[in-house]
Amino acid sequence: MNNRLESLSEILLMGPGPSCVPPSVYEALAKPTIGHLDPTFIAIMDDIKGRLQNVMKTENRMTLPVSGTGSAGMETCFVNLVEPGDAVLVLINGVFGMRMADVATRLGADVDTLAFDWGSPVVPEQLQATLDGKKYDMVAVVHAETSTGVCNPVEEIAAQVKPTGALFLLDAVTSLGGIPVDADAWGVDAMYSGTQKCLSCPPGLSPVTFSDRAVDKMMNRKTKVPNWYLDLSMIVAYWEGSQRAYHHTAPINMLYGLYQALGLVLDEGLEAVFDRHRQSHEALVQALGSLGMEMLVAPKFRLPMLNAVKIPHGVDEASVRQKLLQDHGIEIGAGLGPLAGKIWRIGLMGHTARKENVDRLIDALASVCGK
Ligand code: PLP
């Protein structure tokens, strides 16, 4: 039988995710599948929790990878923490803030949104006025807005939310493992991430953490969590305690991959990992500048792992992406929503964030654009 997998070749993944996967993570994924209640597997799960706590900078007991991609982590936070009628404020400056508002609205929450320009960060002064005007049960924001390349001032936002008593929910899908994420020090109550960005593991798991306050809210709900698969109060019985109870069959090999990917990040050291992202980003911005290309986001708010580059005048952006992929084996991303056709999104996430990859992309881009 024809096997399409045989002709798959490795692509240099420089888009908005997934990112390149290190060989040892592929090796981990290919280890023998064992039972999801096998004591050896339970020990791996316990280590994954510990590694996640280290990478997320949290001591939260409720820290585990949800089965599913980043959006499953997003849903997990909302379905467990929001009840119908709860007042939720979502700060929006890109696609993923919009997705959060959509998820919260579907749960019957009283959702307010505070919108900022795409390509600009959340403005704390505007947030303050909104927080002064209404009491919220939850405030939610995206740390690294992958659709625009903007880093939101999360520490400042968290400090504003704290005195209001609202739960603070953070999307760390693209930020975790690429820039500092300090869940406990910032006072984050719930946070979710994804494996396929700066953790450099294929898509399929979403690390989630809940503070004690968030766990309290979840345990004292008036209504049942309206989603069986993502009900953390049930899932936790599989992830904690001396007797583990079956909830759903854990994606065993994906968890091996995450275990290995987290180990790589921690072995390299978080600071070294952040430096590598920053240095690759600086090299990229400088090289793009020498090709006459400009960035969308002001320097102060740029993400190192997601670079939004303005499409030069007269360039057919889709054909450049297609040639990069077909002729050079490099993937970069297109703009989304109002930025479609206006930007490319160049990812320097996890294992991809290396100077040699920047050089390879710049050479290819120069040749495709006839520079
Ligand atoms: N949040 C952010 C900031 C993202 O970048 C993404 C995916 O790109 C998601 C959430 C959703 O993650 P997934 O596509 O893995 O479901």
PDB file of all heavy atoms in Angstrom, residues 16 69-71 74 96 99 142 144 146 171 173-174 192 196-197, ligand 1:
ATOM      1  N   PRO A  16       4.057  30.033  13.312  1.00  0.00           N
ATOM      2  CA  PRO A  16       3.526  30.300  14.658  1.00  0.00           C
ATOM      3  C   PRO A  16       3.308  29.041  15.494  1.00  0.00           C
ATOM      4  O   PRO A  16       2.612  29.076  16.498  1.00  0.00           O
ATOM      5  CB  PRO A  16       2.195  31.004  14.352  1.00  0.00           C
ATOM      6  CG  PRO A  16       1.793  30.497  13.009  1.00  0.00           C
ATOM      7  CD  PRO A  16       3.047  30.216  12.244  1.00  0.00           C
ATOM      8  N   THR A  69      -4.907  20.005  22.651  1.00  0.00           N
ATOM      9  CA  THR A  69      -3.997  21.108  22.325  1.00  0.00           C
ATOM     10  C   THR A  69      -4.286  22.318  23.215  1.00  0.00           C
ATOM     11  O   THR A  69      -5.128  22.250  24.112  1.00  0.00           O
ATOM     12  CB  THR A  69      -4.151  21.492  20.848  1.00  0.00           C
ATOM     13  OG1 THR A  69      -5.490  21.965  20.649  1.00  0.00           O
ATOM     14  CG2 THR A  69      -3.867  20.328  19.918  1.00  0.00           C
ATOM     15  N   GLY A  70      -3.618  23.422  22.941  1.00  0.00           N
ATOM     16  CA  GLY A  70      -3.761  24.626  23.765  1.00  0.00           C
ATOM     17  C   GLY A  70      -5.214  25.047  23.972  1.00  0.00           C
ATOM     18  O   GLY A  70      -5.589  25.493  25.060  1.00  0.00           O
ATOM     19  N   SER A  71      -6.024  24.882  22.952  1.00  0.00           N
ATOM     20  CA  SER A  71      -7.433  25.284  23.086  1.00  0.00           C
ATOM     21  C   SER A  71      -8.154  24.428  24.132  1.00  0.00           C
ATOM     22  O   SER A  71      -9.088  24.902  24.787  1.00  0.00           O
ATOM     23  CB  SER A  71      -8.163  25.149  21.745  1.00  0.00           C
ATOM     24  OG  SER A  71      -7.473  25.875  20.766  1.00  0.00           O
ATOM     25  N   MET A  74      -7.420  26.045  27.309  1.00  0.00           N
ATOM     26  CA  MET A  74      -8.258  27.249  27.434  1.00  0.00           C
ATOM     27  C   MET A  74      -9.656  26.838  27.923  1.00  0.00           C
ATOM     28  O   MET A  74     -10.184  27.385  28.903  1.00  0.00           O
ATOM     29  CB  MET A  74      -8.337  27.939  26.060  1.00  0.00           C
ATOM     30  CG  MET A  74      -9.069  29.264  26.067  1.00  0.00           C
ATOM     31  SD  MET A  74      -9.371  29.927  24.394  1.00  0.00           S
ATOM     32  CE  MET A  74      -7.788  30.439  23.816  1.00  0.00           C
ATOM     33  N   PHE A  96      -6.436  35.217  19.834  1.00  0.00           N
ATOM     34  CA  PHE A  96      -6.624  34.288  20.947  1.00  0.00           C
ATOM     35  C   PHE A  96      -7.391  34.911  22.109  1.00  0.00           C
ATOM     36  O   PHE A  96      -8.073  34.204  22.855  1.00  0.00           O
ATOM     37  CB  PHE A  96      -5.288  33.641  21.322  1.00  0.00           C
ATOM     38  CG  PHE A  96      -4.799  32.810  20.168  1.00  0.00           C
ATOM     39  CD1 PHE A  96      -3.799  33.270  19.311  1.00  0.00           C
ATOM     40  CD2 PHE A  96      -5.414  31.609  19.861  1.00  0.00           C
ATOM     41  CE1 PHE A  96      -3.405  32.538  18.200  1.00  0.00           C
ATOM     42  CE2 PHE A  96      -5.035  30.869  18.748  1.00  0.00           C
ATOM     43  CZ  PHE A  96      -4.027  31.327  17.913  1.00  0.00           C
ATOM     44  N   ARG A  99     -10.835  34.321  21.009  1.00  0.00           N
ATOM     45  CA  ARG A  99     -11.262  32.930  21.256  1.00  0.00           C
ATOM     46  C   ARG A  99     -11.685  32.745  22.721  1.00  0.00           C
ATOM     47  O   ARG A  99     -12.663  32.077  23.022  1.00  0.00           O
ATOM     48  CB  ARG A  99     -10.140  31.953  20.885  1.00  0.00           C
ATOM     49  CG  ARG A  99     -10.575  30.502  20.951  1.00  0.00           C
ATOM     50  CD  ARG A  99      -9.511  29.554  20.457  1.00  0.00           C
ATOM     51  NE  ARG A  99      -9.182  29.766  19.053  1.00  0.00           N
ATOM     52  CZ  ARG A  99      -8.315  29.025  18.366  1.00  0.00           C
ATOM     53  NH1 ARG A  99      -7.710  28.005  18.948  1.00  0.00           N
ATOM     54  NH2 ARG A  99      -8.057  29.271  17.099  1.00  0.00           N
ATOM     55  N   VAL A 142      -4.155  37.111  27.209  1.00  0.00           N
ATOM     56  CA  VAL A 142      -3.137  36.300  26.538  1.00  0.00           C
ATOM     57  C   VAL A 142      -1.780  36.959  26.788  1.00  0.00           C
ATOM     58  O   VAL A 142      -1.634  38.164  26.591  1.00  0.00           O
ATOM     59  CB  VAL A 142      -3.414  36.240  25.018  1.00  0.00           C
ATOM     60  CG1 VAL A 142      -2.298  35.481  24.300  1.00  0.00           C
ATOM     61  CG2 VAL A 142      -4.771  35.601  24.743  1.00  0.00           C
ATOM     62  N   ALA A 144       1.421  36.032  25.336  1.00  0.00           N
ATOM     63  CA  ALA A 144       2.096  36.226  24.046  1.00  0.00           C
ATOM     64  C   ALA A 144       1.048  36.045  22.949  1.00  0.00           C
ATOM     65  O   ALA A 144       0.630  34.927  22.674  1.00  0.00           O
ATOM     66  CB  ALA A 144       3.216  35.211  23.885  1.00  0.00           C
ATOM     67  N   THR A 146       0.005  35.357  19.724  1.00  0.00           N
ATOM     68  CA  THR A 146       0.656  34.732  18.568  1.00  0.00           C
ATOM     69  C   THR A 146       0.165  35.317  17.245  1.00  0.00           C
ATOM     70  O   THR A 146       0.845  35.212  16.230  1.00  0.00           O
ATOM     71  CB  THR A 146       0.360  33.212  18.578  1.00  0.00           C
ATOM     72  OG1 THR A 146       0.305  32.776  19.936  1.00  0.00           O
ATOM     73  CG2 THR A 146       1.423  32.430  17.850  1.00  0.00           C
ATOM     74  N   ASP A 171      -3.225  33.048  29.437  1.00  0.00           N
ATOM     75  CA  ASP A 171      -2.868  32.169  28.317  1.00  0.00           C
ATOM     76  C   ASP A 171      -1.360  32.266  28.133  1.00  0.00           C
ATOM     77  O   ASP A 171      -0.834  33.328  27.794  1.00  0.00           O
ATOM     78  CB  ASP A 171      -3.601  32.641  27.047  1.00  0.00           C
ATOM     79  CG  ASP A 171      -3.183  31.885  25.793  1.00  0.00           C
ATOM     80  OD1 ASP A 171      -1.975  31.641  25.609  1.00  0.00           O
ATOM     81  OD2 ASP A 171      -4.052  31.579  24.958  1.00  0.00           O
ATOM     82  N   VAL A 173       0.298  29.961  26.160  1.00  0.00           N
ATOM     83  CA  VAL A 173       0.542  28.949  25.122  1.00  0.00           C
ATOM     84  C   VAL A 173       1.867  29.224  24.407  1.00  0.00           C
ATOM     85  O   VAL A 173       2.699  28.328  24.250  1.00  0.00           O
ATOM     86  CB  VAL A 173      -0.643  28.895  24.123  1.00  0.00           C
ATOM     87  CG1 VAL A 173      -0.288  28.036  22.904  1.00  0.00           C
ATOM     88  CG2 VAL A 173      -1.889  28.339  24.804  1.00  0.00           C
ATOM     89  N   THR A 174       2.057  30.458  24.000  1.00  0.00           N
ATOM     90  CA  THR A 174       3.263  30.770  23.224  1.00  0.00           C
ATOM     91  C   THR A 174       4.400  31.279  24.095  1.00  0.00           C
ATOM     92  O   THR A 174       5.566  31.168  23.729  1.00  0.00           O
ATOM     93  CB  THR A 174       2.891  31.780  22.115  1.00  0.00           C
ATOM     94  OG1 THR A 174       2.111  31.078  21.137  1.00  0.00           O
ATOM     95  CG2 THR A 174       4.092  32.383  21.429  1.00  0.00           C
ATOM     96  N   TYR A 192      -2.828  28.210  31.215  1.00  0.00           N
ATOM     97  CA  TYR A 192      -2.712  27.055  30.323  1.00  0.00           C
ATOM     98  C   TYR A 192      -1.649  27.353  29.277  1.00  0.00           C
ATOM     99  O   TYR A 192      -1.363  28.509  28.974  1.00  0.00           O
ATOM    100  CB  TYR A 192      -4.051  26.719  29.652  1.00  0.00           C
ATOM    101  CG  TYR A 192      -4.622  27.862  28.828  1.00  0.00           C
ATOM    102  CD1 TYR A 192      -4.337  27.982  27.466  1.00  0.00           C
ATOM    103  CD2 TYR A 192      -5.437  28.822  29.425  1.00  0.00           C
ATOM    104  CE1 TYR A 192      -4.854  29.026  26.727  1.00  0.00           C
ATOM    105  CE2 TYR A 192      -5.949  29.879  28.687  1.00  0.00           C
ATOM    106  CZ  TYR A 192      -5.650  29.974  27.340  1.00  0.00           C
ATOM    107  OH  TYR A 192      -6.140  31.025  26.602  1.00  0.00           O
ATOM    108  N   GLN A 196       3.391  22.621  21.611  1.00  0.00           N
ATOM    109  CA  GLN A 196       3.993  22.732  20.273  1.00  0.00           C
ATOM    110  C   GLN A 196       4.666  24.058  19.977  1.00  0.00           C
ATOM    111  O   GLN A 196       5.033  24.315  18.841  1.00  0.00           O
ATOM    112  CB  GLN A 196       2.930  22.454  19.209  1.00  0.00           C
ATOM    113  CG  GLN A 196       1.968  23.602  18.908  1.00  0.00           C
ATOM    114  CD  GLN A 196       0.769  23.638  19.832  1.00  0.00           C
ATOM    115  OE1 GLN A 196       0.820  23.154  20.944  1.00  0.00           O
ATOM    116  NE2 GLN A 196      -0.320  24.216  19.374  1.00  0.00           N
ATOM    117  N   LYS A 197       4.814  24.895  20.994  1.00  0.00           N
ATOM    118  CA  LYS A 197       5.450  26.199  20.747  1.00  0.00           C
ATOM    119  C   LYS A 197       6.860  26.149  21.333  1.00  0.00           C
ATOM    120  O   LYS A 197       7.699  25.439  20.805  1.00  0.00           O
ATOM    121  CB  LYS A 197       4.614  27.314  21.370  1.00  0.00           C
ATOM    122  CG  LYS A 197       3.127  27.223  21.037  1.00  0.00           C
ATOM    123  CD  LYS A 197       2.770  27.909  19.771  1.00  0.00           C
ATOM    124  CE  LYS A 197       1.253  27.943  19.613  1.00  0.00           C
ATOM    125  NZ  LYS A 197       0.828  28.501  18.356  1.00  0.00           N
TER     126      LYS A 197
HETATM  127  N1  PLP B   1      -3.545  30.595  22.607  1.00  0.00           N
HETATM  128  C1  PLP B   1      -2.516  31.059  21.885  1.00  0.00           C
HETATM  129  C2  PLP B   1      -1.811  32.303  22.322  1.00  0.00           C
HETATM  130  C3  PLP B   1      -2.113  30.382  20.739  1.00  0.00           C
HETATM  131  O1  PLP B   1      -1.097  30.839  20.009  1.00  0.00           O
HETATM  132  C4  PLP B   1      -2.793  29.209  20.359  1.00  0.00           C
HETATM  133  C5  PLP B   1      -2.409  28.495  19.129  1.00  0.00           C
HETATM  134  O2  PLP B   1      -1.698  28.981  18.300  1.00  0.00           O
HETATM  135  C6  PLP B   1      -3.853  28.770  21.147  1.00  0.00           C
HETATM  136  C7  PLP B   1      -4.200  29.488  22.274  1.00  0.00           C
HETATM  137  C8  PLP B   1      -4.620  27.545  20.782  1.00  0.00           C
HETATM  138  O3  PLP B   1      -3.786  26.451  20.799  1.00  0.00           O
HETATM  139  P1  PLP B   1      -4.036  25.159  19.878  1.00  0.00           P
HETATM  140  O4  PLP B   1      -4.006  25.617  18.458  1.00  0.00           O
HETATM  141  O5  PLP B   1      -2.881  24.292  20.251  1.00  0.00           O
HETATM  142  O6  PLP B   1      -5.333  24.589  20.259  1.00  0.00           O
END
